[in-house]
Amino acid sequence: MDLTEKNLHAALEGREIGYPIHFYQLTESTNAVAFRLAVQGASEGTCVIADCQTAGKGRLHRLWQSPPGLNLYMSLVLRPHLYPSSAPTLSLMAGVAVAGTLKAYCPAGIHLKWPNDVYINERKICGILSEIKTIGKRIQFIILGIGVNINMTTEGMPDPLRNIATSLKEETGKDISRLEIVVKLLDSITDQYHSFLSEGFGVIRTRWRSFTQMIGQCYELSTGNTTYRGEILDIDERGALLIRREGNTIHQVLAGDVVIIKEQP
Ligand code: BTN
């Protein structure tokens, strides 16, 4: 069992991002715990990890499958001095950090799907859920919640996930240490966060683009209640997806989730 309170303390003690560490064998949701700790004043870098979540939160109120002993469920408290409008760019930064970490295991095939799903070979391996609390016109804190499928097998997945999700074990054929992924991922997040704070989103945007295959493709998109077809042009300086809609108008998709329904040639 590589993810234990003792191992995590030994590996993470003193880190700027990743410590203090709060480890739970079982909890509802690491995001919910991290949010509560942040409300109580938890410092920047505070990390919550669980072996198993009973109500792991996904985007759009979906449940995130969180069986014990297999995957990584981690949430970080960040307190950047930024406007709330920067929150989407911090989520994109987390996606870049995850993609950079997993690339070392599967160099051929890591892709980011806007806003911040991580895919290997067309199957989702990681989801990121960020939640913010504002104070006045500023971010008071942001919780970055990251779920990575590590040693879950396709066979062990519930039916609806079998054809759309994957794990590091499925892709590499090996059991991978979750502790190793925690340490590498926190190294990567620390690097990306420093770049973000010192150089701004531009540098992260360039890295994000290098991990995506979406730009230049035509997709049918649905956001909230609206479904439309468009060519994906880019992500802009606020982290919005820029698409050209039929009729040639340029549209920014910033809020909510974009589901790719069908790729067009
Ligand atoms: C998505 O829908 O793609 C986002 C999934 C985010 C799941 C992670 S697991 C750790 C953290 N705690 C949660 O309750 N959710 C996030």
Side-chain angles (χ1 to χ4, degrees), residues 121-164:
N121 290 330
E122 315 283 318
R123 288 167 184 245
K124 183 162 165 174
I125 189 161
C126 167
I128 296 168
L129 179 71
S130 59
E131 299 181 86
I132 67 164
K133 187 165 190 307
T134 55
I135 185 159
K137 288 186 174 162
R138 296 277 172 172
I139 292 177
Q140 185 180 10
F141 61 78
I142 178 163
I143 306 300
L144 283 183
I146 302 174
V148 187
N149 297 336
I150 298 184
N151 293 316
M152 184 153 91
T153 58
T154 309
E155 267 183 357
M157 291 177 192
D159 252 348
L161 290 188
R162 254 177 222 158
N163 294 323
I164 56 171

Side-chain angles (χ1 to χ4, degrees), residues 70-83:
L70 296 171
N71 299 326
L72 175 63
Y73 318 114
M74 177 172 90
S75 301
L76 293 170
V77 178
L78 297 181
R79 295 182 179 275
H81 298 287
L82 295 169
Y83 293 112

